[in-house]
Amino acid sequence: MNTKYNYSLVKHNTFGIDVAADIFFEYSSVEELTDFIAEMKHSPEKNKPMLHIGEGSNLLFLNDFKGVILHSQIKNIQRISERKNVIVLRVGSGLKWDDFVAYCTLNGFCGIENLSGIPGEVGASAVQNIGAYGVEASDTILRVELVDLQTGKKRLISKKDCQYGYRDSIFKNEFKGRYAVTYVHYKLSKKFTPNLSYKALKSMVDVKYERRQLSPTDIRKEVIHLRDQKLPDPNILGNAGSFFMNPVVEKQLFDQIQKDYAQVPFYEIDEEHVKIPAAWLIEQCGWKGKNVGPAGVYDKQPLVLVNCGGAVGQDIAKLAESICQSVHAKFGIDLHPEVNFIAS
Ligand code: EPU
């Protein structure tokens, strides 16, 4: 158990924004967390807001956090059932997501190898429904274990009750701020079928591997390679990955845009809706590679905003706002941040 006061969060958010939390509490077991919640009820700090974070790879702190930050250090992996072709793992929410992916690929537990190299922790995979290269975390999530931050009560919910959608879940809506995720159960396959639905991954693999049979480790290697080409390493350049979600627009609006921009990239959602890459919209508005003070738009992937050095949360937020305004003025589309803005 580890409680710190007036604690800098600079190492706990991948934007590298230097703000402080009144109280920072890390726990290594569910009991430590429930004890802390019980103690808080009788403490003078009991009315302070609580925020549970993961690695902070999806957060933008706008100022000091006048409350309690919670962070899981539960990192164990348990095999809870195993059959010929399927294994169910119970994984601590504080384990680094990519360490979990590495463990699975090494052991031949398949289904998340396309999600290699994503910053963040296991708990956040269940909250954000992280996704990349044709796969989402919810494809393999079976159940999620929670602790109620008010009562300390434990709860187990099924994947169906998590209400997963594109970068969405009940934890970002009805349950927002209410629970800590302590464990996530994943159902993985022991039989490998590569998911090559993402074109750039397929082309890369087709060229490099030709007739050789692919393994989950090969996919992991190629995904990491693809990511390295496009996405900045947060240890070198502060960022939170995709800053915005890819917008889904009405087919009618898309048709209008396509008249003026025949080359507009898109993914069909259904007969009436189309998803347009936010990266393309932002680039068309001339933002790619631009800086405004210490905040910048990454030159290889404009969906990523970066801290060029010494930025405060407001610098990034102002840049994001200007981008939204340009995209709205040019295309009539509202971009929605994927990153959580934290103000207290
Ligand atoms: N594009 C441009 N200009 C650029 C880059 C991209 O116009 O400079 C256009 C291209 O048409 C390209 C399209 O955007 O085909 C899509 O780009 P990309 O394949 O890089 O994917 P994305 O839609 O921008 C999403 C996820 C990423 C994930 C990739 C790969 C969201 C919000 N983001 O990005 O997730 O890695 O797909 O699957 O859905 C993250 O969450 O932090 C993240 C990086």
Side-chain angles (χ1 to χ4, degrees), residues 118-119 131-134 166-167 198 227 230-231 240-246 265 267 275 277-281 283-284 288 299-304 338:
I118 298 183
Y133 305 106
Y166 166 64
R167 312 258 153 158
Y198 184 87
R227 290 183 68 89
K230 283 194 204 168
L231 300 167
S242 302
F243 196 92
F244 301 100
M245 291 192 259
N246 287 330
Y267 319 95
K275 193 189 265 183
W280 183 84
L281 296 166
E283 182 170 354
Q284 294 304 310
K288 189 168 174 169
D299 56 358
K300 294 192 194 114
Q301 169 45 295
L303 189 52
V304 179
E338 184 181 23

Side-chain angles (χ1 to χ4, degrees), residues 70-333:
L70 302 167
H71 184 224
S72 167
Q73 288 279 16
I74 306 178
K75 295 183 178 182
N76 55 322
I77 301 177
Q78 270 170 272
R79 300 180 182 203
I80 55 175
S81 72
E82 190 163 1
R83 278 182 280 130
K84 194 166 158 241
N85 290 327
V86 176
I87 186 158
V88 177
L89 302 174
R90 177 182 189 241
V91 190
S93 56
L95 183 65
K96 278 212 162 66
W97 171 259
D98 200 48
D99 289 350
F100 175 50
V101 179
Y103 167 89
C104 289
T105 46
L106 205 66
N107 284 283
F109 306 149
C110 312
I112 55 172
E113 53 284 349
N114 291 41
L115 300 177
S116 290
I118 298 183
E121 294 169 0
V122 161
S125 77
V127 173
Q128 311 289 353
N129 191 16
I130 53 171
Y133 305 106
V135 173
E136 292 187 339
S138 60
D139 297 340
T140 51
I141 288 173
L142 193 60
R143 295 178 284 262
V144 180
E145 292 183 44
L146 308 168
V147 167
D148 187 317
L149 294 176
Q150 289 305 313
T151 62
K153 263 192 170 168
K154 290 185 244 174
R155 185 169 172 184
L156 176 78
I157 68 166
S158 70
K159 167 189 172 162
K160 187 171 155 276
D161 291 334
C162 294
Q163 300 177 4
Y164 283 121
Y166 166 64
R167 312 258 153 158
D168 202 19
S169 75
I170 196 166
F171 308 110
K172 294 175 83 173
N173 299 292
E174 194 189 327
F175 284 5
K176 193 170 177 173
R178 211 172 126 191
Y179 292 99
V181 172
T182 50
Y183 285 94
V184 185
H185 300 205
Y186 299 89
K187 184 175 173 184
L188 299 155
S189 173
K190 296 206 287 185
K191 245 176 70 189
F192 178 54
T193 317
N195 180 333
L196 299 173
S197 56
Y198 184 87
K199 265 197 230 142
L201 181 61
K202 183 168 187 323
S203 328
M204 194 161 180
V205 161
D206 281 350
V207 172
K208 281 201 188 170
Y209 294 81
E210 240 178 302
R211 282 182 212 113
R212 228 192 81 199
Q213 221 187 348
L214 281 167
S215 73
T217 315
D218 296 329
I219 295 287
R220 173 168 169 74
K221 198 170 102 199
E222 297 312 325
V223 164
I224 289 175
H225 183 56
L226 269 181
R227 290 183 68 89
D228 285 349
Q229 287 175 341
K230 283 194 204 168
L231 300 167
D233 177 349
N235 293 312
I236 297 168
L237 195 60
N239 76 88
S242 302
F243 196 92
F244 301 100
M245 291 192 259
N246 287 330
V248 174
V249 304
E250 303 270 335
K251 184 83 170 48
Q252 218 179 353
L253 175 57
F254 172 75
D255 290 343
Q256 264 175 35
I257 295 172
Q258 206 180 29
K259 266 192 206 145
D260 297 332
Y261 302 87
Q263 77 291 13
V264 52
F266 66 95
Y267 319 95
E268 227 159 66
I269 299 289
D270 57 37
E271 279 182 10
E272 278 140 44
H273 298 94
V274 170
K275 193 189 265 183
I276 304 181
W280 183 84
L281 296 166
I282 298 168
E283 182 170 354
Q284 294 304 310
C285 291
W287 283 105
K288 189 168 174 169
K290 274 206 178 155
N291 289 4
V292 177
V297 180
Y298 193 53
D299 56 358
K300 294 192 194 114
Q301 169 45 295
L303 189 52
V304 179
L305 304 191
V306 294
N307 177 357
C308 307
V312 295
Q314 293 293 351
D315 294 323
I316 308 280
K318 274 190 210 143
L319 174 61
E321 181 53 34
S322 302
I323 292 172
C324 287
Q325 282 170 4
S326 313
V327 169
H328 185 86
K330 197 172 173 87
F331 295 105
I333 294 175

